[in-house]
Amino acid sequence: MRGVGVNGRGSARFIPTPRLLCGADRAMSVYIGVVGGETDYGICRDSIEQMHRATDEDSTIYARATKGYEARQRHIDNFIESKHEWILLLDHDMTFPRDTLTRLLSHGEKFISGYYLFRQIAPTLRPIWFQPPRIDSNGNPLWPLPPVLVDPERGRLHELGASGWGCVLLHRSVIEDTRRVLRGQPDVLEDAMEFWPYDFNCVMDALNRGDIATLRRELRPLRGTFAGGGRMVGREVRYAWFARQAGHILYGDPDVRCGHVTLYPVHPDDYSAAYRAHDAASVATMTDDLENMLDAMHTDYRQTMAAYG
């Protein structure tokens, strides 16, 4: 089975792998979508091709898209229209272990990410993962999500609040269930997340009729961003949050260790070495500073919710 191209500029590609076996007797069909700019990095392309061959599939399909979020959305749309059961989204400026796909599938989780770092060296190396959302005494989420700062323990999965989409595997049911929560909003969208997704036509009708009760029911505050100037939430954080509301928890495998090209492929092993080089006191100080910053933001959130009533 061959894939469908993506129109526009920028680079993306997907590799269908319908013959991949997962488990003793179950054939899995996986759509692999690679997203990036117009220029490929040789070391990254080689690693994707090596992973590709490891799945016993013999075709690579290149496509183009204007921007990363457009490419991911088109990949997801094409995937939903196809008969594939899984989608693996990859970034073109990363390197991947040969067993990336088979390892992610082997865990049996429907929403799972590999482990890599932000594309930066200065001012510091930084993991791409975020901790699960904290919940206040009233059951409301506290924003923003805390980043993962520790070097994650290897040999087990970690529950995450969010991760980048440079190496993420999703089952079809994750997208279908999350779309019901999104109520018509795009899957891939950078948003202030000030409100839960709402029915636009219902809101407009309520505005025309002056129906305040309906507006209060539909326009439910989600984040305390009104006083803070509407800080945007990254697409990956937003999607993982709404997927969680649909019943799908994101997990991370720290042993699927991917490189992210800067001047060289910055790698989780670099972060592990840097983490070990810090003494316990400096790590504790960094964590305390982060906690103080998050507490201030959480206070803003609670004040916004209280003001809304």
Side-chain angles (χ1 to χ4, degrees), residues 111-113 158-163 168 240 244 248-252:
F111 191 15
I112 186 168
S113 172
H158 296 261
E159 180 181 342
L160 302 177
S163 174
V168 64
R244 180 178 286 265
H248 296 288
I249 306 299
L250 173 63
Y251 292 92

Side-chain angles (χ1 to χ4, degrees), residues 9-10 103 107 127 167 176 189 193 220 238 269 272 289 307:
R9 296 173 305 175
R103 183 177 179 88
H107 296 297
C167 178
E176 292 173 342
L189 177 69
M193 289 181 67
R220 296 177 296 151
R238 169 187 174 273
D269 290 348
S272 298
D289 290 343

Side-chain angles (χ1 to χ4, degrees), residues 83-97:
K83 296 182 179 180
H84 298 295
E85 188 173 358
W86 298 83
I87 180 171
L88 177 66
L89 290 169
L90 305 174
D91 279 357
H92 84 136
D93 59 352
M94 293 173 53
T95 59
F96 305 91

Side-chain angles (χ1 to χ4, degrees), residues 198-206:
Y198 54 85
D199 185 320
F200 178 79
N201 291 329
C202 180
V203 167
M204 294 304 297
D205 180 64

Side-chain angles (χ1 to χ4, degrees), residues 32-282:
I32 302 181
V34 185
V35 176
E38 295 182 348
T39 303
D40 279 336
Y41 294 93
I43 189 173
C44 300
R45 178 172 175 173
D46 290 347
S47 85
I48 292 172
E49 294 302 321
Q50 290 167 3
M51 177 177 63
H52 180 208
R53 288 195 296 273
T55 63
D56 193 31
E57 182 61 36
D58 58 3
S59 63
T60 300
I61 299 172
Y62 297 85
R64 303 293 173 187
T66 305
K67 297 182 176 66
Y69 72 88
E70 292 179 341
R72 290 188 181 93
Q73 185 64 62
R74 184 64 63 87
H75 277 313
I76 291 173
D77 290 341
N78 287 344
F79 163 69
I80 289 297
E81 293 172 3
S82 75
K83 296 182 179 180
H84 298 295
E85 188 173 358
W86 298 83
I87 180 171
L88 177 66
L89 290 169
L90 305 174
D91 279 357
H92 84 136
D93 59 352
M94 293 173 53
T95 59
F96 305 91
R98 275 183 61 88
D99 65 348
T100 292
L101 178 55
T102 52
R103 183 177 179 88
L104 292 177
L105 280 169
S106 72
H107 296 297
E109 299 294 344
K110 293 184 177 180
F111 191 15
I112 186 168
S113 172
Y115 177 47
Y116 63 102
L117 307 181
F118 280 91
R119 192 183 179 192
Q120 65 180 51
I121 297 175
T124 185
L125 299 174
R126 180 183 170 195
I128 201 74
W129 287 358
F130 292 83
Q131 299 177 39
R134 303 178 183 184
I135 307 298
D136 68 15
S137 58
N138 296 318
N140 298 311
L142 296 175
W143 295 91
L145 296 183
V148 170
L149 296 179
V150 300
D151 188 23
E153 178 185 353
R154 300 183 65 170
R156 69 177 183 89
L157 297 184
H158 296 261
E159 180 181 342
L160 302 177
S163 174
W165 277 11
C167 178
V168 64
L169 178 73
L170 302 93
H171 188 263
R172 172 178 291 271
S173 62
V174 175
I175 296 171
E176 292 173 342
D177 293 345
T178 304
R179 282 185 168 184
R180 285 190 279 272
V181 175
L182 291 173
R183 302 178 71 178
Q185 289 186 2
D187 303 284
V188 187
L189 177 69
E190 190 166 292
D191 183 23
M193 289 181 67
E194 293 171 337
F195 295 98
W196 287 88
Y198 54 85
D199 185 320
F200 178 79
N201 291 329
C202 180
V203 167
M204 294 304 297
D205 180 64
L207 284 171
N208 290 332
R209 292 185 289 105
D211 185 350
I212 302 301
T214 297
L215 291 175
R216 284 187 175 275
R217 185 183 68 245
E218 288 290 327
L219 300 177
R220 296 177 296 151
L222 177 57
R223 298 179 65 238
T225 60
F226 305 110
R231 293 180 295 270
M232 302 301 285
V233 177
R235 297 175 288 273
E236 297 87 348
V237 172
R238 169 187 174 273
Y239 190 85
W241 165 257
F242 287 124
R244 180 178 286 265
Q245 309 316 302
H248 296 288
I249 306 299
L250 173 63
Y251 292 92
D253 183 345
D255 292 300
V256 178
R257 301 171 76 82
C258 312
H260 206 168
V261 171
T262 54
L263 300 177
Y264 71 99
V266 60
H267 195 273
D269 290 348
D270 300 319
Y271 188 76
S272 298
Y275 188 84
R276 289 192 301 268
H278 286 76
D279 57 35
S282 64

